[in-house]
Amino acid sequence: MPVSAATEKKLREAMARLLAGEPLHTDGALTKENLAREAKVSHATVHRAEEVLAEWDARVARPVLRTPGEVQRDEAIADLRRRLREATTRATELQGKLDALATVTANLYYENLEVKKLSKQGQRRVTALPASGPWLE
């Protein structure tokens, strides 16, 4: 079923605005969906307007899939995802080191308790190590 003359006129005016780069109701991308939005008609109506659609296809040989703003947005998202991956990797590495240090600290704490217990029982004598020696090299 063809479209009315008024609808065809709205579609042609919308096409002219889009092709001129002066959209009123869309982002300006040369897509059939934007043609429908610009003309304020349904997407199905665009496909019923066979003459207008044929003219559109002839004038828009290769439709633009993304606007410059969309390209910039997508690049920013990709950069943020990369940075998030790097930060997550770094956080994982640091968490591993923190876990290792917590284990060492816990072991030293319990060893210290044992040394103190032995010291109180008088079984061993605890002496401080000198401030310098081969063990510090």
Side-chain angles (χ1 to χ4, degrees):
M1 171 155 84
V3 296
S4 68
T7 301
E8 186 173 335
K9 180 181 178 192
K10 288 187 344 186
L11 285 167
R12 289 192 185 282
E13 289 171 353
M15 182 176 12
R17 286 194 303 273
L18 285 171
L19 293 173
E22 300 170 351
L24 299 176
H25 309 290
T26 65
D27 60 7
L30 299 177
T31 64
K32 292 175 187 172
E33 185 63 36
N34 272 354
L35 178 61
R37 286 186 187 135
E38 189 68 28
K40 293 190 175 184
V41 298
S42 72
H43 194 70
T45 301
V46 170
H47 288 280
R48 283 196 314 269
E50 294 175 2
E51 290 180 23
V52 174
L53 199 54
E55 185 179 335
W56 175 265
D57 288 338
R59 295 183 74 185
V60 181
R62 184 173 178 194
V64 176
L65 299 178
R66 297 186 306 166
T67 64
E70 291 171 329
V71 170
Q72 184 179 16
R73 177 204 61 205
D74 292 346
E75 288 172 354
I77 289 172
D79 180 55
L80 289 171
R81 284 185 175 148
R82 178 190 55 77
R83 290 172 49 197
L84 178 60
R85 262 192 318 275
E86 291 171 357
T88 301
T89 301
R90 180 72 175 139
T92 302
E93 291 171 3
L94 291 174
Q95 186 62 50
K97 289 179 180 181
L98 182 62
D99 292 344
L101 288 172
T103 302
V104 169
T105 302
N107 286 337
L108 289 173
Y109 173 76
Y110 287 111
E111 285 178 9
N112 191 28
L113 288 179
E114 288 298 316
V115 168
K116 285 181 181 180
K117 191 186 309 179
L118 292 173
S119 171
K120 286 182 181 179
Q121 294 173 354
Q123 294 177 354
R124 287 197 173 174
R125 186 172 178 167
V126 178
T127 59
L129 294 174
S132 64
W135 54 85
L136 294 178
E137 293 176 2

